[in-house]
Amino acid sequence: MKKLYVVLINDNVIRSGLADLGRLADAELWLVSSPHYARRLTDEQRAAYARVVVPDDMETTDLVALLDRELPRPRPEQLRFLTNDESCELLCARLAEHFGAGGWPAARLLPFVDKMASKAALAGSGLRLPRHLRFDRDEHAADPRGYCERIAAEIGFPMVVKPVDRYASMDVRRLDGPAALRAWASWASSPKDRNSYEVDEFVSGTLYNFDALVQDGRVVWSNVCANLNPCMEFAAGRSLGVWTLPADDPAAVRVSEFGHRALAALRPPDGGVHMEVFGTPDGELVFLEVAARPPGGEMRAVYLRTHGVDIDLAHYLLRAGEPYAVRPRPTGELGAWVITPRRAGRVIAVDVPALRSEHTVRVHVSVGETVARASAHIVEPPSAEFMVFGADRAAFGHDMDLLRDLTLYRVEP
């Protein structure tokens, strides 16, 4: 066997079947998957892999022992460990080091896994960062009230607390005052909470995405998207949506310049990059976070339609070091993926809006159904999913405004 590419997935999702990865790279593909992701595999996705290995957990020691038994001998001439999942990035680096495989070192990947490391790498870049600090359990244990007072003095209210290495706004909270901070800090310091947290200044405004593909250290393709609402507002009952901005949009030009400057300082590995940047009401751009992967949701389908780029496939080929040429074919259309949250209660009416642009919608609630609980974060099933496309900017903007504050269904009072 000349080439074996082992794909690792724990929490994230692969939208592509990746059959083209094995064909274009002339490589055999294996998948090492957590049990909960393996249950979500479609037949098409499973068919892309010669082997699907489902360990009980995704810890390095266990995987080394498992793969030492499972990998063929003699070892393939080219062995790669690949992922689009932040929780597997450092694991891929450790496996590559153990098995003598090619890959990106952990130090190069860390700023794209640890939010504090990314901010440290951007210090001195001239780009605006939110005020931030790493939450220290030991300092809290030594002086709970005093430590919270020092955090409040340094960051100010409101503030945002979030795990340094998770995604999709999971376990992210906004804290508006000292009592809320003390209560959260007590919980975050307990043995029941295993996350490592950062505390950030709360920044409001429009959230933008800067998506890019990197090859040989250079950005070979990029695009800017706007979000209907920040991710953490999904749990508050507001839609989550991402839509492509025209390349000549003034905001897109500014965010693109910001993204390129940030990547010059961060030095990402080859492959996909997904960066989030806030545009404040007074026009300031503020870095939020970055990951070395393509964007999530159904943005692969959006970019295929609007730019002719398969960002998932490109990510894996570039990360593996394959001589892949990214050839965008822009269509001139704008595209969006939008999901709406669930609200608890018995559904008495579903109100699907009349959009002006071409669109498809999948509604996941029905009249008479009782929704047990509201959405806690964007990983949970939504009440509906919209895909919207169009070249008419005015009509498309109208549709985004309509979806931004959409209440999809009504429940009994």
Side-chain angles (χ1 to χ4, degrees), residues 99-263:
F99 288 104
W104 296 87
R108 189 78 173 268
L109 297 169
L110 187 62
F112 301 90
V113 176
D114 186 309
K115 296 176 179 66
M116 291 294 291
S118 62
K119 293 181 178 72
L122 288 172
S125 67
L127 300 175
R128 165 81 155 88
L129 306 177
R131 295 187 299 276
H132 60 279
L133 58 81
R134 187 182 292 270
F135 181 74
D136 190 312
R137 284 182 169 87
D138 292 336
E139 283 197 50
H140 179 266
D143 181 12
R145 181 174 287 271
Y147 183 53
C148 289
E149 289 174 352
R150 292 192 294 275
I151 291 175
E154 183 169 344
I155 304 299
F157 293 107
M159 62 179 63
V160 174
V161 291
K162 54 186 172 181
V164 300
D165 56 359
R166 300 202 73 182
Y167 66 99
S169 290
M170 296 177 71
D171 297 324
V172 176
R173 291 184 59 188
R174 169 177 161 161
L175 306 178
D176 291 313
L181 173 58
R182 289 194 298 269
W184 171 83
S186 178
W187 168 259
S189 298
S190 72
K192 294 181 180 179
D193 193 332
R194 300 174 61 186
N195 290 321
S196 295
Y197 286 96
E198 68 171 331
V199 184
D200 280 10
E201 165 195 2
F202 176 78
V203 181
S204 62
T206 301
L207 180 63
Y208 296 101
N209 296 347
F210 174 72
D211 298 320
L213 293 171
V214 176
Q215 186 173 33
D216 298 327
R218 297 182 301 106
V219 175
V220 294
W221 174 84
S222 65
N223 187 73
V224 174
C225 294
N227 288 251
L228 294 183
N229 298 297
C231 293
M232 66 183 298
E233 293 191 16
F234 189 73
R238 304 191 74 191
S239 302
L240 173 77
V242 183
W243 58 288
T244 58
L245 290 179
D248 60 357
D249 183 279
V253 172
R254 293 186 64 228
V255 174
S256 180
E257 180 187 16
F258 185 102
H260 279 82
R261 287 179 60 193
L263 292 189

Side-chain angles (χ1 to χ4, degrees), residues 39 62 88 92 94 101 176 206 247:
R39 289 191 291 269
D62 295 334
C88 292
C92 284
R94 290 192 288 266
D176 291 313
T206 301

